[in-house]
Amino acid sequence: MDPGQLSGMGVDSGCVGIVGLGLIGGSIGLDLRAQGIKVQGLVHRSSTAERAMERGLVSAVSTDPACLACCDLVILALPIPALLKPNAEFLEALPAEAVVTDVGSVKQPVLQEWKGRHPRFVASHPMAGTAQAGVEAGQRDLFQGRPWIATPDAETDSAALAVVEDLARRLGSRWFTAGAAQHDQAVALISHMPVLVSAALLRAAGDERDPEIRALAQALASSGFADTSRVGGGNPDLGVAMASSNREAVLKALAAYRWSLEQLEDAVIKTNWDQLHKELTRTQHLRPGFLDASAELNP
């Protein structure tokens, strides 16, 4: 493919802008550059810019929003609070004809904020990540086989949506579309609520009053505890941003979780081991449905 043209993405000049070069933005940059695509980065700090160039995340990088003037596609890899309160200078620098998309994990408030800000905005969310953050976190093939969902509404530019779909597929993602409210409730169940549930697990274990038992629990903790506690031990700012921007959906998910936990607790209180076995058998059968990569809504 000609590195100066993204014919598959419908981008004539082949210049893709990425605002924010943390895990998601940096990983997108690495994958696009490996395909010979010019990537223009925009970051806040010169030290981040220098390291991004050293790591090869971008072709060029700047702290000046004017650098986006050459871009036909701009990817907003920003924290949720920054997406909901975009800088005025940055907004003015966005090319009017460029396709603009975000990668935030909450879609209703982002779509509401941005659809009046830019005529070719597409709300989207790649479902991929690691525990790492910052300019050192970007890695190749992060999106391979992972879902990438867009939440267009009636006003979304269909051609712009097609560009974002091409981007997602170019990075190896599985493409989905849904309503923003549907997305936020689904993500509350499988991403946002689990952060709080995992945090509660860490609190319960970490607040054990007997220091000898707590120390022994820490010494014995293995892969099971590591798996169930991972997201609760992640970035606190991200956890607060998800809960505060998706509050109603998270509360609904927590209520469902609390009810389920009470049913299991009730079986233990009543020594109803047959009922507990029945519940655990059901959850054993439920789990594969959430992990089966072939279960696509929009193949």
Side-chain angles (χ1 to χ4, degrees):
M1 183 188 69
D2 180 355
Q5 183 175 12
L6 291 179
S7 57
M9 293 174 59
V11 178
D12 294 331
S13 73
C15 181
V16 176
I18 303 179
V19 185
L21 294 172
L23 173 65
I24 301 300
S27 298
I28 293 173
L30 283 170
D31 283 351
L32 290 180
R33 290 206 69 211
Q35 297 180 29
I37 296 166
K38 180 182 177 182
V39 177
Q40 171 67 57
L42 173 63
V43 296
H44 286 302
R45 294 182 291 273
S46 58
S47 58
T48 302
E50 292 173 7
R51 185 57 181 149
M53 288 298 293
E54 290 173 354
R55 294 203 60 220
L57 305 182
V58 290
S59 312
V61 65
S62 176
T63 58
D64 182 356
C67 71
L68 299 176
C70 72
C71 300
D72 295 282
L73 169 63
V74 178
I75 301 163
L76 308 177
L78 294 167
I80 295 169
L83 282 172
L84 296 180
K85 293 184 178 180
N87 178 277
E89 180 185 6
F90 164 64
L91 287 172
E92 291 175 4
L94 287 173
E97 296 302 315
V99 174
V100 178
T101 191
D102 75 304
V103 297
S105 68
V106 178
K107 295 275 69 84
Q108 285 190 94
V110 171
L111 180 59
Q112 190 64 33
E113 174 66 33
W114 275 87
K115 69 179 184 178
R117 297 282 190 182
H118 196 281
R120 306 199 74 197
F121 177 76
V122 177
S124 79
H125 177 204
M127 298 289 295
T130 71
Q132 306 304 312
V135 71
E136 302 294 339
Q139 63 184 59
R140 286 288 314 278
D141 300 324
L142 180 68
F143 309 99
Q144 282 288 338
R146 305 303 305 164
W148 191 310
I149 182 167
T151 59
D153 66 4
E155 300 172 32
T156 300
D157 183 320
S158 60
L161 180 64
V163 169
V164 178
E165 178 178 356
D166 276 338
L167 168 69
R169 294 192 184 278
R170 181 179 288 273
L171 298 179
S173 293
R174 297 181 292 121
W175 179 250
F176 296 83
T177 59
Q182 289 178 308
H183 167 278
D184 289 356
Q185 192 62 64
V187 172
L189 285 169
I190 54 88
S191 181
H192 299 171
M193 176 192 58
V195 170
L196 301 183
V197 170
S198 177
L201 168 64
L202 284 165
R203 280 193 58 185
D207 291 346
E208 166 58 45
R209 294 184 179 182
D210 186 322
E212 292 185 359
I213 292 177
R214 185 171 63 250
L216 181 60
Q218 290 173 331
L220 297 177
S222 189
S223 59
F225 188 83
D227 290 344
T228 52
S229 65
R230 180 181 66 82
V231 293
N235 185 335
D237 292 335
L238 179 58
V240 172
M242 290 188 300
S244 61
S245 58
N246 200 24
R247 180 174 176 270
E248 295 303 319
V250 169
L251 287 174
K252 184 176 179 181
L254 284 171
Y257 177 81
R258 186 181 302 109
W259 183 86
S260 296
L261 184 60
E262 287 172 353
Q263 305 310 301
L264 299 175
E265 181 185 34
D266 185 66
V268 175
I269 290 172
K270 295 177 179 177
T271 66
N272 189 344
W273 310 127
D274 287 341
Q275 180 62 27
L276 183 61
H277 188 275
K278 179 180 177 181
E279 294 292 344
L280 294 178
T281 299
R282 180 169 178 265
T283 58
Q284 180 186 47
H285 292 154
L286 283 171
R287 187 171 184 267
F290 289 91
L291 302 179
D292 184 0
S294 67
E296 296 193 34
L297 293 176
N298 300 82

